[in-house]
Amino acid sequence: MRILVQKFGGTSLSSPQAREHVISHIKRELDENYKLVVVVSAMGRRGEPYATDTLLEWIVQNGDALPDREKDLLLCCGEIISATTLCSLLEREGISSTVLTGAQAGFETDGHHGNARILDVRPARIIEEFNNHNVVIVTGFQGQTISGDFTTLGRGGSDTSATALGAALHAEMVDIYTDVNGVLTADPRIVEDAKPLAIVSYAEICNMAYQGAKVIHPRAVEIAMQAQIPVRIRSTFSENEGTLVTHPEGFNDVQSGVVDRFVTGIAYVSNVTQITVDCSDGPSNLQLKVFKSMAENSISVDFINITPTGAVYTVFDHESERALCVLQEMGLRPKSLSGCAKVAVIGGGINGVPGIMARIVESLTEQNIQILQSADSNTTIWVLVKKEDMVQSLRSLHTEFELNR
């Protein structure tokens, strides 16, 4: 049995015209003799009737006191509406299909309502349904606890549902359909000459997702990478095959010369605050106390540099005031710089290549852009800049590494 998983996001299902494109993608793969698992998100975006954000606003307008367990019950309705709508349209076309909720599809999760983690996927019901149907539609973003409560998987949860099913079913491929034609070298709203990428590695796309590129959720990529299931990121509104996400070993099968690139793309996260803490006069474990205090107050920290005399890190702007208050209550005098942006240079070819950091510094210095902080990993180099310098930083680095070619 050849199995393909297709995931369609909210914009792919938001209008009759968009849904016709979805049906055409399903028909094409059925003609290739695939059995299809079609994972769907809630239809539309904020303000549209069945979108997840619209349901959340409904709660606010009606008491704003719904417990997390019951909130998950409501949020599951969006995907159920999408799935049953698509089923009706497919049946009209003579395509035999059926709908399964996340629980019926075999998703067992922990009890962390609103951001549950998948504990296991048992897809026996899906395989059974393939005896009678060519298409099994599964509601993304949701699962069930061992005690039978509905849960949701958090933002990007439908992507995670799709790759988890791909892994559990040993699918040939997982296709993630969205409103953009694959992965680009940078955000095209900022970098006008950003180019589409034919292929990227799991590590590269995961880093791009963590650094602000919203084409796929990083949790979904990690599952696909562990199972070695290839993923394609495609546009619902095009027949183009989009961007293939796979191991670097598969690059030569797609496009010659791709392996030789050092840098794959540029991404960013804006609206962050840099916090500097001087620990030179405190106890030797003061850095530990600083980060434990952030964790105890559920404040997410990033871009961490620790020295013998202090610590520098970032938090999101909306959490900065609370973070500073926590530090001040510890008797510290932190310094802060709000309105910063984290710019990431990402590429599987960075590791072990001399001169990449020098080119970043030279490119930004030529634009009179101050680097406030830097860090690196095997596949990513990050620099912190002032938010007003972010756009020029992205454009300058995109040109420096010839990503526009």
Side-chain angles (χ1 to χ4, degrees), residues 1 3 5 35-39 98 100-102 104-107 121-133 135-138 165-166 168-169:
M1 186 185 297
I3 297 175
V5 177
K35 293 286 190 177
L36 298 182
V37 177
V38 178
V39 178
T98 190
L100 299 179
T101 65
Q104 291 167 336
F107 282 90
V121 182
R122 301 187 183 97
R125 176 75 180 274
I126 294 176
I127 296 170
E128 179 185 333
E129 294 295 344
F130 278 147
N131 292 324
N132 300 309
H133 307 283
V135 180
V136 177
I137 306 167
V138 176
L165 283 172
L169 291 163

PDB file of all heavy atoms in Angstrom, residues 1 3 5 35-39 98 100-102 104-107 121-133 135-138 165-166 168-169:
ATOM      1  N   MET A   1       0.845  -1.193   0.000  1.00  0.00           N
ATOM      2  CA  MET A   1       0.000   0.000   0.000  1.00  0.00           C
ATOM      3  C   MET A   1       0.885   1.249   0.000  1.00  0.00           C
ATOM      4  O   MET A   1       1.729   1.418   0.877  1.00  0.00           O
ATOM      5  CB  MET A   1      -0.899   0.008   1.238  1.00  0.00           C
ATOM      6  CG  MET A   1      -1.927   1.131   1.253  1.00  0.00           C
ATOM      7  SD  MET A   1      -2.858   1.199   2.803  1.00  0.00           S
ATOM      8  CE  MET A   1      -3.697  -0.368   2.777  1.00  0.00           C
ATOM      9  N   ILE A   3       1.212   5.026   0.685  1.00  0.00           N
ATOM     10  CA  ILE A   3       0.484   6.011   1.491  1.00  0.00           C
ATOM     11  C   ILE A   3       1.175   7.360   1.369  1.00  0.00           C
ATOM     12  O   ILE A   3       2.401   7.466   1.468  1.00  0.00           O
ATOM     13  CB  ILE A   3       0.425   5.583   2.968  1.00  0.00           C
ATOM     14  CG1 ILE A   3      -0.355   4.265   3.099  1.00  0.00           C
ATOM     15  CG2 ILE A   3      -0.212   6.672   3.821  1.00  0.00           C
ATOM     16  CD1 ILE A   3      -0.375   3.704   4.511  1.00  0.00           C
ATOM     17  N   VAL A   5       0.652  11.403   2.883  1.00  0.00           N
ATOM     18  CA  VAL A   5      -0.052  12.292   3.814  1.00  0.00           C
ATOM     19  C   VAL A   5      -0.053  13.693   3.215  1.00  0.00           C
ATOM     20  O   VAL A   5       0.989  14.210   2.804  1.00  0.00           O
ATOM     21  CB  VAL A   5       0.620  12.304   5.199  1.00  0.00           C
ATOM     22  CG1 VAL A   5      -0.098  13.294   6.124  1.00  0.00           C
ATOM     23  CG2 VAL A   5       0.615  10.907   5.813  1.00  0.00           C
ATOM     24  N   LYS A  35      -2.967   5.768  -1.462  1.00  0.00           N
ATOM     25  CA  LYS A  35      -3.979   5.926  -0.428  1.00  0.00           C
ATOM     26  C   LYS A  35      -3.620   7.205   0.328  1.00  0.00           C
ATOM     27  O   LYS A  35      -2.455   7.406   0.700  1.00  0.00           O
ATOM     28  CB  LYS A  35      -3.971   4.736   0.530  1.00  0.00           C
ATOM     29  CG  LYS A  35      -4.417   3.420  -0.089  1.00  0.00           C
ATOM     30  CD  LYS A  35      -5.930   3.394  -0.306  1.00  0.00           C
ATOM     31  CE  LYS A  35      -6.397   1.990  -0.696  1.00  0.00           C
ATOM     32  NZ  LYS A  35      -7.877   1.922  -0.851  1.00  0.00           N
ATOM     33  N   LEU A  36      -4.615   8.050   0.554  1.00  0.00           N
ATOM     34  CA  LEU A  36      -4.332   9.380   1.098  1.00  0.00           C
ATOM     35  C   LEU A  36      -4.844   9.550   2.519  1.00  0.00           C
ATOM     36  O   LEU A  36      -5.996   9.207   2.815  1.00  0.00           O
ATOM     37  CB  LEU A  36      -4.953  10.459   0.221  1.00  0.00           C
ATOM     38  CG  LEU A  36      -4.458  10.564  -1.222  1.00  0.00           C
ATOM     39  CD1 LEU A  36      -5.150  11.729  -1.920  1.00  0.00           C
ATOM     40  CD2 LEU A  36      -2.951  10.747  -1.262  1.00  0.00           C
ATOM     41  N   VAL A  37      -3.985  10.101   3.362  1.00  0.00           N
ATOM     42  CA  VAL A  37      -4.416  10.635   4.654  1.00  0.00           C
ATOM     43  C   VAL A  37      -4.361  12.154   4.516  1.00  0.00           C
ATOM     44  O   VAL A  37      -3.286  12.721   4.262  1.00  0.00           O
ATOM     45  CB  VAL A  37      -3.505  10.169   5.800  1.00  0.00           C
ATOM     46  CG1 VAL A  37      -3.945  10.813   7.119  1.00  0.00           C
ATOM     47  CG2 VAL A  37      -3.527   8.653   5.920  1.00  0.00           C
ATOM     48  N   VAL A  38      -5.490  12.809   4.643  1.00  0.00           N
ATOM     49  CA  VAL A  38      -5.574  14.257   4.470  1.00  0.00           C
ATOM     50  C   VAL A  38      -5.821  14.898   5.831  1.00  0.00           C
ATOM     51  O   VAL A  38      -6.878  14.700   6.433  1.00  0.00           O
ATOM     52  CB  VAL A  38      -6.693  14.642   3.479  1.00  0.00           C
ATOM     53  CG1 VAL A  38      -6.790  16.154   3.355  1.00  0.00           C
ATOM     54  CG2 VAL A  38      -6.433  14.007   2.111  1.00  0.00           C
ATOM     55  N   VAL A  39      -4.819  15.626   6.308  1.00  0.00           N
ATOM     56  CA  VAL A  39      -4.901  16.293   7.609  1.00  0.00           C
ATOM     57  C   VAL A  39      -5.315  17.741   7.381  1.00  0.00           C
ATOM     58  O   VAL A  39      -4.728  18.433   6.536  1.00  0.00           O
ATOM     59  CB  VAL A  39      -3.546  16.237   8.336  1.00  0.00           C
ATOM     60  CG1 VAL A  39      -3.621  16.981   9.670  1.00  0.00           C
ATOM     61  CG2 VAL A  39      -3.124  14.782   8.556  1.00  0.00           C
ATOM     62  N   THR A  98     -13.722   9.307   4.354  1.00  0.00           N
ATOM     63  CA  THR A  98     -14.301   9.265   5.696  1.00  0.00           C
ATOM     64  C   THR A  98     -13.507  10.187   6.597  1.00  0.00           C
ATOM     65  O   THR A  98     -12.358  10.548   6.285  1.00  0.00           O
ATOM     66  CB  THR A  98     -14.314   7.826   6.251  1.00  0.00           C
ATOM     67  OG1 THR A  98     -15.094   7.789   7.445  1.00  0.00           O
ATOM     68  CG2 THR A  98     -12.904   7.339   6.568  1.00  0.00           C
ATOM     69  N   LEU A 100     -11.968  11.066  10.493  1.00  0.00           N
ATOM     70  CA  LEU A 100     -11.602  10.614  11.830  1.00  0.00           C
ATOM     71  C   LEU A 100     -11.108  11.803  12.639  1.00  0.00           C
ATOM     72  O   LEU A 100     -10.360  12.651  12.131  1.00  0.00           O
ATOM     73  CB  LEU A 100     -10.480   9.562  11.762  1.00  0.00           C
ATOM     74  CG  LEU A 100     -10.758   8.258  11.018  1.00  0.00           C
ATOM     75  CD1 LEU A 100      -9.523   7.375  11.061  1.00  0.00           C
ATOM     76  CD2 LEU A 100     -11.957   7.533  11.609  1.00  0.00           C
ATOM     77  N   THR A 101     -11.518  11.870  13.883  1.00  0.00           N
ATOM     78  CA  THR A 101     -10.946  12.867  14.786  1.00  0.00           C
ATOM     79  C   THR A 101      -9.510  12.452  15.115  1.00  0.00           C
ATOM     80  O   THR A 101      -9.077  11.327  14.820  1.00  0.00           O
ATOM     81  CB  THR A 101     -11.744  12.975  16.088  1.00  0.00           C
ATOM     82  OG1 THR A 101     -11.638  11.724  16.798  1.00  0.00           O
ATOM     83  CG2 THR A 101     -13.205  13.296  15.815  1.00  0.00           C
ATOM     84  N   GLY A 102      -8.775  13.343  15.763  1.00  0.00           N
ATOM     85  CA  GLY A 102      -7.431  12.989  16.182  1.00  0.00           C
ATOM     86  C   GLY A 102      -7.419  11.759  17.062  1.00  0.00           C
ATOM     87  O   GLY A 102      -6.555  10.874  16.925  1.00  0.00           O
ATOM     88  N   GLN A 104      -9.689   9.300  17.154  1.00  0.00           N
ATOM     89  CA  GLN A 104     -10.033   8.115  16.355  1.00  0.00           C
ATOM     90  C   GLN A 104      -8.871   7.688  15.455  1.00  0.00           C
ATOM     91  O   GLN A 104      -8.729   6.507  15.130  1.00  0.00           O
ATOM     92  CB  GLN A 104     -11.280   8.402  15.520  1.00  0.00           C
ATOM     93  CG  GLN A 104     -12.547   8.549  16.354  1.00  0.00           C
ATOM     94  CD  GLN A 104     -13.697   9.142  15.558  1.00  0.00           C
ATOM     95  OE1 GLN A 104     -13.478   9.842  14.559  1.00  0.00           O
ATOM     96  NE2 GLN A 104     -14.918   8.881  15.990  1.00  0.00           N
ATOM     97  N   ALA A 105      -8.044   8.657  15.053  1.00  0.00           N
ATOM     98  CA  ALA A 105      -6.887   8.359  14.215  1.00  0.00           C
ATOM     99  C   ALA A 105      -5.736   7.765  15.019  1.00  0.00           C
ATOM    100  O   ALA A 105      -4.734   7.349  14.431  1.00  0.00           O
ATOM    101  CB  ALA A 105      -6.422   9.620  13.493  1.00  0.00           C
ATOM    102  N   GLY A 106      -5.854   7.772  16.346  1.00  0.00           N
ATOM    103  CA  GLY A 106      -4.858   7.091  17.167  1.00  0.00           C
ATOM    104  C   GLY A 106      -3.910   7.970  17.943  1.00  0.00           C
ATOM    105  O   GLY A 106      -2.917   7.486  18.494  1.00  0.00           O
ATOM    106  N   PHE A 107      -4.201   9.288  18.047  1.00  0.00           N
ATOM    107  CA  PHE A 107      -3.314  10.193  18.771  1.00  0.00           C
ATOM    108  C   PHE A 107      -3.577  10.143  20.272  1.00  0.00           C
ATOM    109  O   PHE A 107      -4.640  10.564  20.745  1.00  0.00           O
ATOM    110  CB  PHE A 107      -3.501  11.631  18.283  1.00  0.00           C
ATOM    111  CG  PHE A 107      -2.827  11.919  16.971  1.00  0.00           C
ATOM    112  CD1 PHE A 107      -3.498  11.729  15.768  1.00  0.00           C
ATOM    113  CD2 PHE A 107      -1.522  12.377  16.930  1.00  0.00           C
ATOM    114  CE1 PHE A 107      -2.878  11.977  14.555  1.00  0.00           C
ATOM    115  CE2 PHE A 107      -0.891  12.634  15.726  1.00  0.00           C
ATOM    116  CZ  PHE A 107      -1.575  12.436  14.535  1.00  0.00           C
ATOM    117  N   VAL A 121       1.114   7.263  18.607  1.00  0.00           N
ATOM    118  CA  VAL A 121       0.155   7.293  17.498  1.00  0.00           C
ATOM    119  C   VAL A 121      -0.092   5.846  17.082  1.00  0.00           C
ATOM    120  O   VAL A 121       0.829   5.147  16.668  1.00  0.00           O
ATOM    121  CB  VAL A 121       0.674   8.102  16.298  1.00  0.00           C
ATOM    122  CG1 VAL A 121      -0.381   8.130  15.190  1.00  0.00           C
ATOM    123  CG2 VAL A 121       1.037   9.521  16.706  1.00  0.00           C
ATOM    124  N   ARG A 122      -1.343   5.434  17.191  1.00  0.00           N
ATOM    125  CA  ARG A 122      -1.728   4.068  16.812  1.00  0.00           C
ATOM    126  C   ARG A 122      -2.733   4.158  15.660  1.00  0.00           C
ATOM    127  O   ARG A 122      -3.939   4.314  15.884  1.00  0.00           O
ATOM    128  CB  ARG A 122      -2.350   3.341  18.005  1.00  0.00           C
ATOM    129  CG  ARG A 122      -1.432   3.248  19.219  1.00  0.00           C
ATOM    130  CD  ARG A 122      -2.045   2.367  20.299  1.00  0.00           C
ATOM    131  NE  ARG A 122      -1.239   2.312  21.503  1.00  0.00           N
ATOM    132  CZ  ARG A 122      -1.442   3.057  22.582  1.00  0.00           C
ATOM    133  NH1 ARG A 122      -2.446   3.928  22.594  1.00  0.00           N
ATOM    134  NH2 ARG A 122      -0.661   2.943  23.631  1.00  0.00           N
ATOM    135  N   PRO A 123      -2.257   4.063  14.414  1.00  0.00           N
ATOM    136  CA  PRO A 123      -3.112   4.350  13.251  1.00  0.00           C
ATOM    137  C   PRO A 123      -3.895   3.158  12.721  1.00  0.00           C
ATOM    138  O   PRO A 123      -4.266   3.139  11.544  1.00  0.00           O
ATOM    139  CB  PRO A 123      -2.091   4.842  12.222  1.00  0.00           C
ATOM    140  CG  PRO A 123      -0.874   4.023  12.516  1.00  0.00           C
ATOM    141  CD  PRO A 123      -0.865   3.804  14.024  1.00  0.00           C
ATOM    142  N   ALA A 124      -4.172   2.160  13.565  1.00  0.00           N
ATOM    143  CA  ALA A 124      -4.863   0.946  13.092  1.00  0.00           C
ATOM    144  C   ALA A 124      -6.202   1.283  12.445  1.00  0.00           C
ATOM    145  O   ALA A 124      -6.589   0.673  11.438  1.00  0.00           O
ATOM    146  CB  ALA A 124      -5.053  -0.023  14.250  1.00  0.00           C
ATOM    147  N   ARG A 125      -6.920   2.256  13.012  1.00  0.00           N
ATOM    148  CA  ARG A 125      -8.232   2.614  12.460  1.00  0.00           C
ATOM    149  C   ARG A 125      -8.088   3.185  11.042  1.00  0.00           C
ATOM    150  O   ARG A 125      -8.929   2.910  10.158  1.00  0.00           O
ATOM    151  CB  ARG A 125      -8.917   3.623  13.387  1.00  0.00           C
ATOM    152  CG  ARG A 125     -10.256   4.167  12.884  1.00  0.00           C
ATOM    153  CD  ARG A 125     -11.385   3.176  13.009  1.00  0.00           C
ATOM    154  NE  ARG A 125     -12.642   3.716  12.523  1.00  0.00           N
ATOM    155  CZ  ARG A 125     -13.495   4.461  13.256  1.00  0.00           C
ATOM    156  NH1 ARG A 125     -13.199   4.730  14.531  1.00  0.00           N
ATOM    157  NH2 ARG A 125     -14.609   4.906  12.750  1.00  0.00           N
ATOM    158  N   ILE A 126      -7.045   3.952  10.803  1.00  0.00           N
ATOM    159  CA  ILE A 126      -6.821   4.505   9.461  1.00  0.00           C
ATOM    160  C   ILE A 126      -6.609   3.377   8.459  1.00  0.00           C
ATOM    161  O   ILE A 126      -7.212   3.358   7.377  1.00  0.00           O
ATOM    162  CB  ILE A 126      -5.608   5.463   9.470  1.00  0.00           C
ATOM    163  CG1 ILE A 126      -5.906   6.705  10.315  1.00  0.00           C
ATOM    164  CG2 ILE A 126      -5.239   5.876   8.036  1.00  0.00           C
ATOM    165  CD1 ILE A 126      -4.726   7.646  10.458  1.00  0.00           C
ATOM    166  N   ILE A 127      -5.744   2.436   8.804  1.00  0.00           N
ATOM    167  CA  ILE A 127      -5.454   1.314   7.905  1.00  0.00           C
ATOM    168  C   ILE A 127      -6.723   0.500   7.638  1.00  0.00           C
ATOM    169  O   ILE A 127      -6.984   0.069   6.507  1.00  0.00           O
ATOM    170  CB  ILE A 127      -4.342   0.439   8.514  1.00  0.00           C
ATOM    171  CG1 ILE A 127      -3.042   1.252   8.609  1.00  0.00           C
ATOM    172  CG2 ILE A 127      -4.131  -0.821   7.686  1.00  0.00           C
ATOM    173  CD1 ILE A 127      -1.952   0.590   9.399  1.00  0.00           C
ATOM    174  N   GLU A 128      -7.534   0.332   8.673  1.00  0.00           N
ATOM    175  CA  GLU A 128      -8.803  -0.387   8.511  1.00  0.00           C
ATOM    176  C   GLU A 128      -9.726   0.350   7.546  1.00  0.00           C
ATOM    177  O   GLU A 128     -10.375  -0.258   6.688  1.00  0.00           O
ATOM    178  CB  GLU A 128      -9.465  -0.539   9.875  1.00  0.00           C
ATOM    179  CG  GLU A 128     -10.800  -1.243   9.860  1.00  0.00           C
ATOM    180  CD  GLU A 128     -11.456  -1.259  11.235  1.00  0.00           C
ATOM    181  OE1 GLU A 128     -10.726  -1.206  12.237  1.00  0.00           O
ATOM    182  OE2 GLU A 128     -12.698  -1.301  11.290  1.00  0.00           O
ATOM    183  N   GLU A 129      -9.787   1.680   7.670  1.00  0.00           N
ATOM    184  CA  GLU A 129     -10.675   2.469   6.807  1.00  0.00           C
ATOM    185  C   GLU A 129     -10.236   2.432   5.350  1.00  0.00           C
ATOM    186  O   GLU A 129     -11.052   2.632   4.441  1.00  0.00           O
ATOM    187  CB  GLU A 129     -10.738   3.919   7.300  1.00  0.00           C
ATOM    188  CG  GLU A 129     -11.393   4.101   8.657  1.00  0.00           C
ATOM    189  CD  GLU A 129     -12.875   3.744   8.675  1.00  0.00           C
ATOM    190  OE1 GLU A 129     -13.476   3.650   7.580  1.00  0.00           O
ATOM    191  OE2 GLU A 129     -13.421   3.554   9.776  1.00  0.00           O
ATOM    192  N   PHE A 130      -8.938   2.180   5.099  1.00  0.00           N
ATOM    193  CA  PHE A 130      -8.470   2.093   3.717  1.00  0.00           C
ATOM    194  C   PHE A 130      -9.074   0.901   2.972  1.00  0.00           C
ATOM    195  O   PHE A 130      -9.018   0.843   1.745  1.00  0.00           O
ATOM    196  CB  PHE A 130      -6.941   2.003   3.678  1.00  0.00           C
ATOM    197  CG  PHE A 130      -6.245   3.326   3.806  1.00  0.00           C
ATOM    198  CD1 PHE A 130      -5.021   3.416   4.456  1.00  0.00           C
ATOM    199  CD2 PHE A 130      -6.786   4.483   3.262  1.00  0.00           C
ATOM    200  CE1 PHE A 130      -4.362   4.630   4.566  1.00  0.00           C
ATOM    201  CE2 PHE A 130      -6.140   5.708   3.368  1.00  0.00           C
ATOM    202  CZ  PHE A 130      -4.922   5.782   4.027  1.00  0.00           C
ATOM    203  N   ASN A 131      -9.655  -0.033   3.677  1.00  0.00           N
ATOM    204  CA  ASN A 131     -10.337  -1.150   3.013  1.00  0.00           C
ATOM    205  C   ASN A 131     -11.581  -0.683   2.269  1.00  0.00           C
ATOM    206  O   ASN A 131     -12.011  -1.317   1.301  1.00  0.00           O
ATOM    207  CB  ASN A 131     -10.728  -2.217   4.035  1.00  0.00           C
ATOM    208  CG  ASN A 131      -9.522  -2.922   4.624  1.00  0.00           C
ATOM    209  OD1 ASN A 131      -8.539  -3.150   3.936  1.00  0.00           O
ATOM    210  ND2 ASN A 131      -9.591  -3.253   5.906  1.00  0.00           N
ATOM    211  N   ASN A 132     -12.157   0.429   2.733  1.00  0.00           N
ATOM    212  CA  ASN A 132     -13.413   0.919   2.143  1.00  0.00           C
ATOM    213  C   ASN A 132     -13.306   2.303   1.513  1.00  0.00           C
ATOM    214  O   ASN A 132     -14.214   2.725   0.800  1.00  0.00           O
ATOM    215  CB  ASN A 132     -14.498   0.953   3.225  1.00  0.00           C
ATOM    216  CG  ASN A 132     -14.767  -0.416   3.821  1.00  0.00           C
ATOM    217  OD1 ASN A 132     -14.987  -1.379   3.096  1.00  0.00           O
ATOM    218  ND2 ASN A 132     -14.743  -0.503   5.144  1.00  0.00           N
ATOM    219  N   HIS A 133     -12.212   3.017   1.816  1.00  0.00           N
ATOM    220  CA  HIS A 133     -12.086   4.405   1.342  1.00  0.00           C
ATOM    221  C   HIS A 133     -10.670   4.641   0.824  1.00  0.00           C
ATOM    222  O   HIS A 133      -9.700   4.102   1.371  1.00  0.00           O
ATOM    223  CB  HIS A 133     -12.385   5.395   2.466  1.00  0.00           C
ATOM    224  CG  HIS A 133     -13.701   5.173   3.144  1.00  0.00           C
ATOM    225  ND1 HIS A 133     -14.901   5.549   2.589  1.00  0.00           N
ATOM    226  CD2 HIS A 133     -13.996   4.583   4.334  1.00  0.00           C
ATOM    227  CE1 HIS A 133     -15.891   5.222   3.413  1.00  0.00           C
ATOM    228  NE2 HIS A 133     -15.364   4.628   4.476  1.00  0.00           N
ATOM    229  N   VAL A 135      -9.549   7.848   0.709  1.00  0.00           N
ATOM    230  CA  VAL A 135      -9.116   9.054   1.416  1.00  0.00           C
ATOM    231  C   VAL A 135      -9.642   9.007   2.844  1.00  0.00           C
ATOM    232  O   VAL A 135     -10.856   8.864   3.064  1.00  0.00           O
ATOM    233  CB  VAL A 135      -9.638  10.336   0.714  1.00  0.00           C
ATOM    234  CG1 VAL A 135      -9.176  11.582   1.477  1.00  0.00           C
ATOM    235  CG2 VAL A 135      -9.183  10.393  -0.734  1.00  0.00           C
ATOM    236  N   VAL A 136      -8.730   9.124   3.795  1.00  0.00           N
ATOM    237  CA  VAL A 136      -9.111   9.258   5.198  1.00  0.00           C
ATOM    238  C   VAL A 136      -8.743  10.676   5.633  1.00  0.00           C
ATOM    239  O   VAL A 136      -7.570  11.059   5.605  1.00  0.00           O
ATOM    240  CB  VAL A 136      -8.397   8.229   6.093  1.00  0.00           C
ATOM    241  CG1 VAL A 136      -8.761   8.451   7.559  1.00  0.00           C
ATOM    242  CG2 VAL A 136      -8.757   6.806   5.667  1.00  0.00           C
ATOM    243  N   ILE A 137      -9.742  11.447   5.994  1.00  0.00           N
ATOM    244  CA  ILE A 137      -9.530  12.829   6.427  1.00  0.00           C
ATOM    245  C   ILE A 137      -9.392  12.840   7.946  1.00  0.00           C
ATOM    246  O   ILE A 137     -10.260  12.311   8.652  1.00  0.00           O
ATOM    247  CB  ILE A 137     -10.699  13.738   5.997  1.00  0.00           C
ATOM    248  CG1 ILE A 137     -10.932  13.625   4.490  1.00  0.00           C
ATOM    249  CG2 ILE A 137     -10.437  15.181   6.388  1.00  0.00           C
ATOM    250  CD1 ILE A 137     -12.246  14.244   4.026  1.00  0.00           C
ATOM    251  N   VAL A 138      -8.309  13.423   8.443  1.00  0.00           N
ATOM    252  CA  VAL A 138      -8.043  13.448   9.881  1.00  0.00           C
ATOM    253  C   VAL A 138      -8.003  14.890  10.358  1.00  0.00           C
ATOM    254  O   VAL A 138      -7.375  15.757   9.736  1.00  0.00           O
ATOM    255  CB  VAL A 138      -6.704  12.754  10.204  1.00  0.00           C
ATOM    256  CG1 VAL A 138      -6.378  12.857  11.692  1.00  0.00           C
ATOM    257  CG2 VAL A 138      -6.737  11.289   9.770  1.00  0.00           C
ATOM    258  N   LEU A 165       1.681  11.236  11.694  1.00  0.00           N
ATOM    259  CA  LEU A 165       0.975  10.183  10.948  1.00  0.00           C
ATOM    260  C   LEU A 165       1.859   9.620   9.835  1.00  0.00           C
ATOM    261  O   LEU A 165       1.854   8.412   9.584  1.00  0.00           O
ATOM    262  CB  LEU A 165      -0.322  10.733  10.356  1.00  0.00           C
ATOM    263  CG  LEU A 165      -1.481  10.894  11.335  1.00  0.00           C
ATOM    264  CD1 LEU A 165      -2.644  11.622  10.675  1.00  0.00           C
ATOM    265  CD2 LEU A 165      -1.942   9.533  11.868  1.00  0.00           C
ATOM    266  N   GLY A 166       2.618  10.486   9.180  1.00  0.00           N
ATOM    267  CA  GLY A 166       3.538  10.005   8.162  1.00  0.00           C
ATOM    268  C   GLY A 166       4.527   8.998   8.728  1.00  0.00           C
ATOM    269  O   GLY A 166       4.807   7.965   8.113  1.00  0.00           O
ATOM    270  N   ALA A 168       4.104   7.191  11.598  1.00  0.00           N
ATOM    271  CA  ALA A 168       3.408   5.999  12.104  1.00  0.00           C
ATOM    272  C   ALA A 168       2.960   5.075  10.973  1.00  0.00           C
ATOM    273  O   ALA A 168       2.929   3.850  11.137  1.00  0.00           O
ATOM    274  CB  ALA A 168       2.206   6.420  12.950  1.00  0.00           C
ATOM    275  N   LEU A 169       2.627   5.657   9.820  1.00  0.00           N
ATOM    276  CA  LEU A 169       2.128   4.875   8.689  1.00  0.00           C
ATOM    277  C   LEU A 169       3.223   4.506   7.686  1.00  0.00           C
ATOM    278  O   LEU A 169       2.940   3.863   6.682  1.00  0.00           O
ATOM    279  CB  LEU A 169       1.038   5.674   7.960  1.00  0.00           C
ATOM    280  CG  LEU A 169      -0.277   5.866   8.720  1.00  0.00           C
ATOM    281  CD1 LEU A 169      -1.087   7.001   8.106  1.00  0.00           C
ATOM    282  CD2 LEU A 169      -1.083   4.574   8.730  1.00  0.00           C
TER     283      LEU A 169
END
